[in-house]
Amino acid sequence: MSAVSKPWVGAIPDEDIASFGRGFDRQDRPMAAGVRPAVLVVDMTRAFVDSTYATGWSATGYPAVDANVELLGAARQAQVPIFFTKGYPEQDDQLQPAERGRWKSNGAPAPLPEGTPPGDVIVESLGPQPGDIVVDKGTRPSGFFGTPLISYLVHAGCDTVIVTGMTTSGCVRATVLDAFQYNFHVLIPFECSADRSQISHKVSLFDMHMKYADVISLNETIDYLQKLPGA
């Protein structure tokens, strides 16, 4: 792993990295993962990927989509279960204040151009395909909070979760933290997640790598999938 440049190189001061270098939490430690992974694609919807929408950022969203296409191809070849999250089953749900929550950006967004397609739709190039499961998580950041996701992972016998999606500092981070708290190994292929803020993206990946997950490259993740028993 040490041969692969981490995405936070140049963004995190050397003294901060050194403060973690006490052996058990080095950034270049060996990866830890099980043999029964699932892929969890968090909120790779038009609303978060495309700059047409107030929450989207095309410059980083679409490269992350392309990376996820490659990852999902390898996951399907390895017969790994795949889960997606998005907001709601229906596009025209009228949310009550308690359902919307206390987001700091809770004001009404500017009207979208006429004919703009709904935003809470998973980007078409990703699927989902038959056999994949879509989890509707409402407005909460974590894919686990108030959803049956944990029961699906238990049923599939998973011991590892590969988390990707939008945004790194928001819903991806919240989902990673909950997966860690449920005692899953967590892998984050860093090309497969994205954020509007690049400093938030890099710092969040560093923080998760030092505490909750292994942040690795897409190629390393695919290599792991290809080496699974029975893959």
Side-chain angles (χ1 to χ4, degrees):
M1 289 177 61
S2 58
V4 177
S5 180
K6 298 297 188 184
W8 52 80
V9 171
I12 305 296
D14 290 342
E15 57 268 29
D16 286 3
I17 292 176
S19 73
F20 284 91
R22 293 169 294 171
F24 67 92
D25 53 4
R26 293 178 59 86
Q27 65 172 340
D28 57 352
R29 66 181 183 272
M31 183 186 77
V35 296
R36 295 291 300 274
V39 176
L40 177 54
V41 182
V42 178
D43 292 2
M44 290 297 285
T45 63
R46 296 169 185 155
F48 285 105
V49 167
D50 197 296
S51 296
T52 301
Y53 307 86
T55 50
W57 199 251
S58 298
T60 55
Y62 282 109
V65 169
D66 293 340
N68 272 277
V69 169
E70 189 173 350
L71 174 68
L72 293 180
R76 291 187 171 108
Q77 283 192 334
Q79 301 183 54
V80 167
I82 296 170
F83 301 88
F84 294 86
T85 73
K86 63 181 191 68
Y88 295 92
E90 304 296 334
Q91 294 298 318
D92 57 354
D93 283 339
Q94 299 299 310
L95 302 183
Q96 297 300 316
E99 295 175 295
R100 190 174 298 279
R102 299 187 185 276
W103 289 92
K104 302 309 177 184
S105 56
N106 225 2
L112 292 169
E114 186 175 352
T116 302
D120 187 28
V121 175
I122 296 164
V123 175
E124 288 79 358
S125 59
L126 295 180
Q129 295 187 8
D132 299 343
I133 293 178
V134 178
V135 176
D136 298 304
K137 67 184 183 67
T139 62
R140 301 307 186 246
S142 173
F144 289 92
F145 187 86
T147 78
L149 177 58
I150 183 62
S151 70
Y152 298 158
L153 294 170
V154 169
H155 183 271
C158 296
D159 57 15
T160 302
V161 179
I162 302 170
V163 183
T164 78
M166 309 288 290
T167 61
T168 313
S169 62
C171 297
V172 170
R173 181 187 171 93
T175 301
V176 165
L177 180 55
D178 277 353
F180 168 83
Q181 291 178 139
Y182 280 118
N183 275 335
F184 291 102
H185 294 289
V186 184
L187 304 179
I188 308 171
F190 57 81
E191 299 96 330
C192 296
S193 69
D195 207 297
R196 285 173 286 179
S197 166
Q198 297 320 293
I199 190 64
S200 293
H201 172 73
K202 293 174 182 179
V203 171
S204 294
L205 288 174
F206 174 75
D207 193 60
M208 289 187 286
H209 182 71
M210 305 314 273
K211 298 174 183 176
Y212 313 122
D214 284 306
V215 176
I216 60 177
S217 70
L218 172 60
N219 286 339
E220 289 173 301
T221 310
I222 291 174
D223 183 64
Y224 160 72
L225 291 171
Q226 291 174 340
K227 292 178 178 178
L228 290 171

